[in-house]
């Protein structure tokens, strides 16, 4: 029987862990059924506790861009462990990774390491507020910037999946400083500026949105945000936790040719270990403790094992000139072929794609913001998800998530995926 041991493990886990999971979207609540309990992964495949292999299109929600258990990253990390696990002191490795990142990412001079994307975004807005001496921030409906209080207001990803994008526990005092705009709607941003003249510390945005499914900014939208920020003395924060080192070495900034004032990272930067980071020009970063008054700290920040895994991953990305073209091409093929298959079946759908990020929305309408994403047929998505899963293809268990293509996904895996899609009946 499929998912037998996963079912048993899930039942047991629910006695001890809320919902049986340590992060909500893992619970399959939106698609229903039993989440797979995974015991190992290699290359393009993950293996569940029932010993079935699946082609993995989640890749730990983005980090595993090289595929799982990449031999070079594994060897470097194991070697590092022999020297100790954590010191709570500076290490040479931290400067090495900082040098590499500031060299390849546009418009940043300095970087601070943290342990998650949540921490990175939370710290980035504190820094923006400290730097501008203003309190309010603008975020976009359906964008997800981690689970810190200021961002759990019409948030995407799991928050959107479970229908509570606004979380209880966030005080009104905090919520009032987060102003909401619509993705791809510059007028909604201008209106906020009109009503809050000189009060906006920062605009934070996913430059390619990936937490309401994949949504691409329309021509001129981000450039208009850049101009508005320049006019108003507001900092533009690109949350590149998902896009950083995935779309290119210089992330979305490089791909789109638009510079942000502060950039946040996570996911790929840690090569599968818990790492986040935020970075900016020197004049901004100098406001951080111990140089400046804006406080930020972390016991395990810059952990040597995590740094080594991240550094090795980034170096592979840096050296392999064709890697980004390759994974973009794989994603393009997947997009086109799935489009053909669903069209032939007469199933209404849209695919959105940028680089190696894509998603399928079951709708006739273009999807350019959170409202559009909500209007898509999520019950068809759920059927599609379970059909693919049964056929050995592991997609993200929600219509509000992006598929991440790794470099380990080759022709054979694409063929398996398309074969599975061909037998789908809506
Ligand atoms: C995943 C994600 C986060 C949160 O990162 P965690 O490591 O899960 O805390 C923040 N922003 C974006 C754009 C993300 O995709």
């Amino acid at each position: 029987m499929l998912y037998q041991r996963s079912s048993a493990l899930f039942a047991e886990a629910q006695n001890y862990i809320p919902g049986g999971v340590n992060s909500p979207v893992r619970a399959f609540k939106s698609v229903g059924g039993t989440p797979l309990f995974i015991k190992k992964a290699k290359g393009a495949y993950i293996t569940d506790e029932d010993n079935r292999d699946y082609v993995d299109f989640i890749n730990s929600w983005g980090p595993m861009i090289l595929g799982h258990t990449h031999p070079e990253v594994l060897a470097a990390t194991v070697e590092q462990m022999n020297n100790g696990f954590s010191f709570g002191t500076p290490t040479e490795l931290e400067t090495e990774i900082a040098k590499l990142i500031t060299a390849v990412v546009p418009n940043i001079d300095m970087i601070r390491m943290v342990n998650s994307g949540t921490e990175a975004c939370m710290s980035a807005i504190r820094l923006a507020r400290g730097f501008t001496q203003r309190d309010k921030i603008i975020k976009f409906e359906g964008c997800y910037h981690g689970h810190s209080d200021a961002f759990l207001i019409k948030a995407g990803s799991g928050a959107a999946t479970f229908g509570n994008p606004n979380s209880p526990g966030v005080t009104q005092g905090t919520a009032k400083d987060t102003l909401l705009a619509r993705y791809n709607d510059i007028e909604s941003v201008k209106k906020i500026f009109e009503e809050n003249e000189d009060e906006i510390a920062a605009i934070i945005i996913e430059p390619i949105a990936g937490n309401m499914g994949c949504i691409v900014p329309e021509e001129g939208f981000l450039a208009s945000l850049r101009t508005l920020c320049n006019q108003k003395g507001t900092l533009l924060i690109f949350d590149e936790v998902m896009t950083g080192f995935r779309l290119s070495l210089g992330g979305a900034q490089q791909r789109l040719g638009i510079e942000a004032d502060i950039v946040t990272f996570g996911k790929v930067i840690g090569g599968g270990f818990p790492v986040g980071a935020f970075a900016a020009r020197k004049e901004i970063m100098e406001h951080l403790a111990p140089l400046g008054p804006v406080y930020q700290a972390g016991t395990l920040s810059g952990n040597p094992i995590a740094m080594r895994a991240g550094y090795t991953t980034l170096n592979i990305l840096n050296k392999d000139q064709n890697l980004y073209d390759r994974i973009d091409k794989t994603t393009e093929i997947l997009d086109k072929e799935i489009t053909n298959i669903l069209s032939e079946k007469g199933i209404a759908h849209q695919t959105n794609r940028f680089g190696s990020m894509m998603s399928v929305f079951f709708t006739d309408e273009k999807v350019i913001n959170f409202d559009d994403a909500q209007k898509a047929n999520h019950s068809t998505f759920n059927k599609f998800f379970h059909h693919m899963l049964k056929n050995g293809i592991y997609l993200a268990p929600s219509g509000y998530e992006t598929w991440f293509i790794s470099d380990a996904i080759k022709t054979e895996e694409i063929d398996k995926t398309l074969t599975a899609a061909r037998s789908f009946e809506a």
Side-chain angles (χ1 to χ4, degrees), residues 67-290:
H68 291 283
T69 333
H70 189 282
E72 228 176 291
V73 181
L74 176 65
T77 311
V78 168
E79 183 192 78
Q80 189 69 43
M81 286 180 86
N82 286 312
N83 296 333
F85 305 159
S86 181
F87 316 126
T89 70
T91 57
E92 184 178 359
L93 195 50
E94 290 163 87
T95 308
E96 290 303 310
I97 192 167
K99 268 162 80 176
L100 174 64
I101 294 169
T102 52
V104 299
V105 175
N107 205 31
I108 62 168
D109 302 315
M110 290 181 161
I111 185 163
R112 171 71 53 91
M113 290 290 168
V114 294
N115 305 291
S116 68
T118 293
E119 256 189 90
C121 295
M122 173 189 92
S123 307
I125 53 157
R126 184 182 303 141
L127 178 60
R129 285 168 165 161
F131 181 80
T132 58
Q133 315 238 323
R134 298 173 179 182
D135 288 346
K136 294 187 173 160
I137 58 165
I138 296 176
K139 87 172 271 289
F140 293 86
E141 292 171 7
C143 280
Y144 181 67
H145 306 293
H147 65 91
S148 85
D149 285 5
F151 299 126
L152 284 184
I153 298 158
K154 279 224 176 181
S157 189
T161 301
F162 303 134
N164 51 351
N166 308 299
S167 172
V170 175
T171 65
Q172 299 216 324
T174 298
K176 80 173 182 5
D177 286 328
T178 302
L179 308 170
L180 282 173
R182 267 159 67 95
Y183 206 87
N184 280 324
D185 180 353
I186 195 69
E187 292 309 317
S188 72
V189 182
K190 287 185 179 160
K191 188 152 171 281
I192 294 174
F193 273 107
E194 273 161 28
E195 290 160 0
N196 300 270
E197 198 63 43
D198 300 331
E199 289 181 87
I200 315 288
I203 296 179
I204 186 167
I205 188 162
E206 294 179 60
I208 306 294
N211 285 293
M212 41 183 160
C214 179
I215 291 184
V216 179
E218 297 198 304
E219 188 68 36
F221 176 60
L222 295 176
S224 303
L225 290 183
R226 180 65 277 176
T227 306
L228 265 179
C229 283
N230 292 350
Q231 288 166 352
K232 307 288 182 184
T234 295
L235 298 184
L236 181 60
I237 304 175
F238 272 7
D239 178 351
E240 297 228 37
V241 169
M242 191 180 277
T243 53
F245 311 106
R246 168 158 290 281
L247 299 183
S248 73
L249 273 179
Q253 283 195 105
Q254 185 181 23
R255 283 287 287 259
L256 303 169
I258 293 176
E259 291 188 338
D261 298 299
I262 304 180
V263 187
T264 61
F265 298 102
K267 303 196 167 109
V268 174
I269 201 176
F273 284 75
V275 181
F278 58 107
R281 295 186 303 277
K282 201 169 172 203
E283 54 162 338
I284 299 173
M285 290 306 273
E286 279 179 348
H287 278 66
L288 268 191

